[in-house]
Every structure is written in C-alpha cells, then in structure tokens.
Amino acid sequence: QKEVEQDPGPLSVPEGAIVSLNCTYSNSAFQYFMWYRQYSRKGPELLMYTYSSGNKEDGRFTAQVDKSSKYISLFIRDSQPSDSATYLCAMSAPGGGNKLTFGTGTQLKVEL
Amino acid sequence: NAGVTQTPKFRILKIGQSMTLQCAQDMNHNYMYWYRQDPGMGLKLIYYSVGAGITDKGEVPNGYNVSRSTTEDFPLRLELAAPSQTSVYFCASSYPHGGTSGRAGETQYFGPGTRLLVL
C-alpha cells in the first residue's frame, strides 16, 4: 500500500463547477498537509498549507484535513480554465528535514 | 530574488555518460532537496540536505550523488547514466521547521526542473 493515495484523473469539469480533489494516507505521524499546483512543464507551487486537522480557506480554495479518517481534500469553487493543472497533495511528519511525501497528482481540466 | 534556479533545462545523455545537474537558491534556505518526477508517479525524493556539509538519502538515491559545500548550491551528480534515470528532476529549498515565518513543515519552493533523457 502506498503511503499516500491520490486519484490520478484526469478530471474534466465545466467552467464554474465546484471541484473536489482528495488524498488518503496511511502514516498517522503526518501533521502537515499541503496542496501544490503544477502547470505543464513547470515546477510545483504551494497552493494551500494546513497544520493538523481542520479547514483553511483562501479565496476560491478550501483545504480540509480529517486526521481521524486520514483523508484530505481540496475544494475549488467557481473553477476557471486557468485552474487547469495537476494538483499534488503532500504531507510531512515533524522532524527529519521537512521531507515531503507526495501523492501521484490529479490532472484537472476546466473547460469553457 | 531569483528563487530556485536549475541548469540545464534539458539534456540528452548516452548510457554510461555522467553529468551534474545544478541547483542554486538565493533565499538563504537551510534545507534543499532533489526530486525526480516520472509520469503518473508523483515526486520521489532522491537526496536532501539540512545545511552546508550535511546530506542524506531520500527514497530513491541509487545512481546519484550530491554535495553541499555552500548554503546556496546543491548539485546532483549522475555518474553512469542509465535509461531508468530518464525523468524530470526538480530541486527545492525550504526553511527548517518553525523558520522565519514561524510555521512548522515549511513550504518547499521548487525550481523549474531539468528534463533528462538517457538513450
């Protein structure tokens, strides 16, 4: 079993739709949870960061962490064509050099 | 502030050749990382460093070497290139836990990547 599981997609939605992206994990030591966005042929860039359980909102983006279920989500409201990218979840445990464990990424396409 | 820079952008190697992928950051980050990204496989950690003179293996270190003589630079060396090393390589850097922003599990900043093809 992989330490972090993420549906690879691709996911295609119409402009304006609400998008839900998810990851599950098995390592209960993970405390820090991140979502990275990666455009084609570019490096990943941090989109959202959450410590432990709870919700965090930033504009059209909401990140949720449910540590009891080992499940994290990213919601995108009013999706735009510019949101078309691969979304990678990542997580880390305290100590050990901030090493991140990544999901495989979900490819999202928002169509006009 | 250039952030994390990587050279070259693209390289073709023959089996058995060697090369060094360069990575530099100007954010005074202590921590630096090398990842490889294969299609549908996410990012795998090759090596990381928590400061000048200190390096450690990640998940997939075989076939690679690193050194960290300065805070700014973290080159990745491939000694005997193999087709299995065809990939996109990303360098990243971060503050240590609880760095200047006070947040633990600090953000990793990524470079633009180096595409390597081994034939």
Side-chain angles (χ1 to χ4, degrees), chain A residues 24-44:
Chain A
T24 58
Y25 64 95
S26 57
N27 187 347
S28 58
F30 288 145
Q31 296 281 350
Y32 313 108
F33 304 91
M34 285 141 273
W35 286 95
Y36 282 82
R37 179 175 60 195
Q38 185 176 24
Y39 291 114
S40 181
R41 295 184 172 265
K42 301 288 186 183

Side-chain angles (χ1 to χ4, degrees), chain B residues 26-87:
Chain B
D26 61 359
M27 296 174 282
N28 203 31
H29 285 167
N30 294 81
Y31 290 11
M32 295 187 75
Y33 313 83
W34 273 106
Y35 294 90
R36 58 177 289 172
Q37 186 175 37
D38 301 308
M41 298 296 290
L43 287 140
K44 302 290 185 184
L45 182 66
I46 304 171
Y47 271 95
Y48 69 102
S49 168
V50 298
I54 307 169
T55 62
D56 207 348
K57 295 177 181 179
E59 186 179 357
V60 289
N62 290 345
Y64 307 95
N65 277 301
V66 293
S67 59
R68 184 98 181 268
S69 57
T70 67
T71 300
E72 294 79 17
D73 301 297
F74 190 39
L76 178 72
R77 179 82 177 164
L78 282 70
E79 290 294 350
L80 291 169
S84 61
Q85 294 177 305
T86 293
S87 190

Side-chain angles (χ1 to χ4, degrees), chain A residues 2 32 34 36 38 40-46 49 51 56 86 88 92-105, chain B residues 31 33 35 37 40-45 48 50 57-58 90 94-97 103-113 115:
Chain A
K2 288 182 182 176
Y32 313 108
M34 285 141 273
Y36 282 82
Q38 185 176 24
S40 181
R41 295 184 172 265
K42 301 288 186 183
E45 57 178 344
L46 183 74
Y49 164 88
Y51 170 65
K56 186 172 184 179
T86 295
L88 298 144
S92 70
N98 283 11
K99 289 182 289 183
L100 294 179
T101 301
F102 283 86
T104 53
Chain B
Y31 290 11
Y33 313 83
Y35 294 90
Q37 186 175 37
M41 298 296 290
L43 287 140
K44 302 290 185 184
L45 182 66
Y48 69 102
V50 298
K57 295 177 181 179
F90 289 102
S94 77
Y95 291 114
H97 275 288
R103 297 189 313 185
E106 188 55 79
T107 303
Q108 289 190 16
Y109 296 85
F110 284 81
R115 292 182 175 273

Side-chain angles (χ1 to χ4, degrees), chain A residues 17-29:
Chain A
I18 296 173
V19 176
S20 173
L21 304 168
N22 311 294
C23 287
T24 58
Y25 64 95
S26 57
N27 187 347
S28 58

